[in-house]
Amino acid sequence: MARRLFPGAWLRKPHSAQVRLSYVRIKYLFISWLVVFIGSWIMYVQYSTYTELCRGHDCRKIICDKYKTGVIDGSACSSLCAKETLYFGKCLSTKPNNQIYLGIWGNLQSVIKCQMEEAAQHDFGTDPEPRKEIVLFDKPTRGTTVEKFKEMVYGLFKAKLGEQGNLSELVNLILSFADGNKDGRVSLPEAKSAWALLQLEEFLLMVILQDKEHTPKLMGFCGDLYVTERVEYTSLYGISLPWIIELLIPSGFRRSMDQWFTPSWPRKAKIAIGLLEFVEDIFHGPYGNFLMCDTSAKNLGYNDKYDLKMMDMRKIVSEINLKEIIKDRQCDSDLDCIYGTDCRTLCDQSKMRCTTEVIQPNLAKACQLLKDYLLRGAPSDIHEELEKQLYLCIALKVTANQMEMEHSLILNNLKTLLWKKISHTNDS
């Protein structure tokens, strides 16, 4: 009777099920569309970022065009532009105007560095570095003799380094390096390449420190492109993650996570000794004091023997050069007197100008970087003493009385403490 009176009752349940099924289909269709949209957007952003940062093709074209027209020459030009035995590999660039690639030169692993455009500006201002000639390769001009070129290089060194060390010997070293084909003479195209390279702080420092263990070896050059030895591990610690994941991870947790991906403690100690030795190398060396203005893990690497190698020295500048850069900088507070991330001076409120004396020495910055790196997993019998020495080191100030004596004492104490602990192990 009920069925005859209410015929729609037979249809209600199937109709309700159909509605739910349609809703589920629409929901999954929407979710699928959203996933595809987000995935496409991420791929687009990553591709755009890559094409902006990684411009190796443009770099090679600019350099090879100049080489083929006879403007520049160098020891890597033929392999890069004619024989094509120097290849660009994985892109490591972090800025569009500083191209860094892993490379292969014949059978050798290498790193290729190339400066794009007029490039860099000082981190605390808008004044561009005087590097327009890097792109144009307009110096030295035709008719410049070797003696005149040597005078140009000497004057550049005097401006950057002051009257320190044997500058004439350094000039001869540059001329020897500039002679790319080793025919005993420096041609005009080779001189143009050398002059362009000498505008770069990193290249100049690499030449000065070529005989030091922790500086990657220069393999060749062409224009303002230069090739160095490959370093197996390109960061002091940590793991590389996709940028979208980096955004989601809190910075504190990221720092803790970085410490999980490190070598064993004896190997960390050996790497740390290497950094301390590098600090020693650039502290009042034969060509003056150099300042580390970006002391971060990404600028340090190490090889398969756990010997430290400097990966990026672009923000290591001579003290004289930094003083010249910052001396007339206007300021309202100390925050206006920072070069890179780590070279800080004070703001003279009476003159509203930055002072020229950097507050923190290189050793204090290095110890700050090494503190968590070394204390995590340190043997219990040296942990307390190691922590004490690291905190004494971090507290170092350039303006302190007897700073140089304290600097040497703490540096030697740290090296001795670490070396004694690993000297009997295979890692030493």
Side-chain angles (χ1 to χ4, degrees):
M1 177 67 71
R3 293 176 182 174
R4 286 196 297 270
L5 290 173
F6 305 102
W10 288 96
L11 300 174
R12 281 176 190 150
K13 190 170 183 178
H15 177 69
S16 177
Q18 287 177 356
V19 170
R20 284 198 301 270
L21 185 61
S22 298
Y23 172 75
V24 170
R25 285 177 176 172
I26 292 171
K27 183 174 73 172
Y28 280 110
L29 183 63
F30 174 75
I31 292 172
S32 299
W33 174 84
L34 189 63
V35 169
V36 170
F37 174 78
I38 293 174
S40 301
W41 178 76
I42 290 173
M43 289 179 64
Y44 170 75
V45 171
Q46 285 190 320
Y47 176 75
S48 300
T49 303
Y50 180 86
T51 53
E52 181 184 351
L53 285 179
C54 301
R55 303 166 61 192
H57 175 76
D58 295 335
C59 176
R60 184 180 180 278
K61 185 178 186 304
I62 292 169
I63 292 294
C64 289
D65 284 349
K66 295 291 185 181
Y67 167 66
K68 290 173 181 177
T69 54
V71 176
I72 60 174
D73 200 357
S75 54
C77 290
S78 177
S79 298
L80 179 68
C81 306
K83 299 177 183 177
E84 297 188 351
T85 54
L86 176 56
Y87 301 100
F88 284 76
K90 180 182 177 181
C91 175
L92 303 178
S93 306
T94 57
K95 292 184 179 180
N97 51 20
N98 291 302
Q99 293 297 293
I100 305 175
Y101 279 79
L102 296 181
I104 299 175
W105 193 353
N107 296 323
L108 299 175
Q109 302 287 321
S110 64
V111 174
I112 303 170
K113 298 189 177 186
C114 178
Q115 194 78 9
M116 294 290 292
E117 302 169 352
E118 299 175 23
Q121 297 195 353
H122 295 312
D123 292 47
F124 46 69
T126 57
D127 302 328
E129 282 190 48
R131 291 198 58 248
K132 195 164 185 176
E133 64 268 28
I134 298 299
V135 179
L136 300 176
F137 300 107
D138 60 351
K139 293 181 182 178
T141 56
R142 187 174 297 278
T144 302
T145 64
V146 173
E147 287 303 315
K148 179 62 177 175
F149 181 59
K150 289 173 73 172
E151 290 177 12
M152 288 173 59
V153 175
Y154 187 93
L156 179 67
F157 288 164
K158 186 176 178 181
K160 284 180 174 285
L161 306 173
E163 291 279 9
Q164 303 192 64
N166 189 339
L167 294 184
S168 297
E169 184 179 323
L170 188 57
V171 170
N172 290 332
L173 182 62
I174 290 296
L175 262 63
S176 175
F177 182 81
D179 182 13
N181 57 9
K182 302 304 176 187
D183 62 354
R185 54 184 290 274
V186 177
S187 65
L188 181 61
E190 288 173 335
K192 286 179 181 288
S193 292
W195 183 256
L197 287 167
L198 288 174
Q199 313 307 309
L200 305 174
E201 294 284 354
E202 180 179 54
F203 180 81
L204 176 57
L205 187 59
M206 290 184 78
V207 171
I208 291 173
L209 299 176
Q210 266 303 280
D211 61 338
K212 302 298 183 181
E213 178 184 0
H214 307 297
T215 305
K217 301 304 177 189
L218 284 165
M219 297 171 62
F221 69 98
C222 184
D224 64 344
L225 176 150
Y226 55 106
V227 186
T228 70
E229 69 170 310
R230 175 103 166 251
V231 179
E232 284 80 359
Y233 302 95
T234 56
S235 181
L236 186 63
Y237 54 72
I239 184 171
S240 178
L241 297 172
W243 68 272
I244 191 69
I245 298 177
E246 292 273 13
L247 291 176
L248 301 174
I249 299 176
S251 58
F253 180 73
R254 181 68 167 104
R255 286 192 295 271
S256 298
M257 190 175 71
D258 281 340
Q259 299 294 338
W260 302 341
F261 297 92
T262 58
S264 63
W265 191 86
R267 290 170 174 172
K268 288 195 293 185
K270 185 178 182 184
I271 294 167
I273 290 171
L275 179 56
L276 296 174
E277 288 174 344
F278 179 78
V279 168
E280 204 169 14
D281 289 339
I282 63 174
F283 180 67
H284 292 317
Y287 298 102
N289 188 24
F290 285 82
L291 302 172
M292 300 171 70
C293 296
D294 185 3
T295 314
S296 60
K298 69 180 185 300
N299 293 336
L300 312 175
Y302 53 94
N303 60 20
D304 56 357
K305 295 180 180 178
Y306 300 92
D307 297 316
L308 178 101
K309 296 288 182 180
M310 297 301 298
M311 290 299 302
D312 189 341
M313 298 194 292
R314 284 175 295 170
K315 283 294 183 289
I316 301 179
V317 298
S318 70
E319 186 174 27
I320 288 176
N321 201 21
L322 181 61
K323 286 182 176 181
E324 191 64 29
I325 291 169
I326 206 171
K327 68 178 182 180
D328 294 321
R329 180 63 46 186
Q330 291 184 343
C331 63
D332 294 317
S333 71
D334 294 345
L335 294 176
D336 298 320
C337 302
I338 303 173
Y339 179 79
T341 57
D342 294 325
C343 286
R344 301 167 182 267
T345 70
L346 299 175
C347 178
D348 185 343
Q349 295 291 337
S350 63
K351 300 177 181 178
M352 305 302 285
R353 290 286 188 274
C354 294
T355 58
T356 58
E357 198 70 47
V358 173
I359 300 169
Q360 197 175 32
N362 293 333
L363 183 59
K365 301 172 207 172
C367 288
Q368 182 69 58
L369 178 65
L370 292 174
K371 178 171 69 70
D372 292 337
Y373 186 72
L374 282 177
L375 291 178
R376 183 181 178 88
S380 57
D381 58 329
I382 68 163
H383 190 283
E384 185 178 344
E385 180 62 22
L386 179 59
E387 186 175 29
K388 174 187 171 183
Q389 292 297 329
L390 285 169
Y391 276 105
L392 285 172
C393 177
I394 293 168
L396 279 173
K397 300 291 182 184
V398 170
T399 54
N401 293 331
Q402 299 181 322
M403 192 279 293
E404 291 193 19
M405 183 183 298
E406 291 179 11
H407 183 286
S408 299
L409 182 63
I410 292 173
L411 190 147
N412 288 330
N413 286 346
L414 279 169
K415 284 172 60 179
T416 302
L417 184 64
L418 295 172
W419 187 251
K420 278 185 177 179
K421 195 62 187 175
I422 67 169
S423 58
H424 62 284
T425 68
N426 294 331
D427 299 300
S428 63

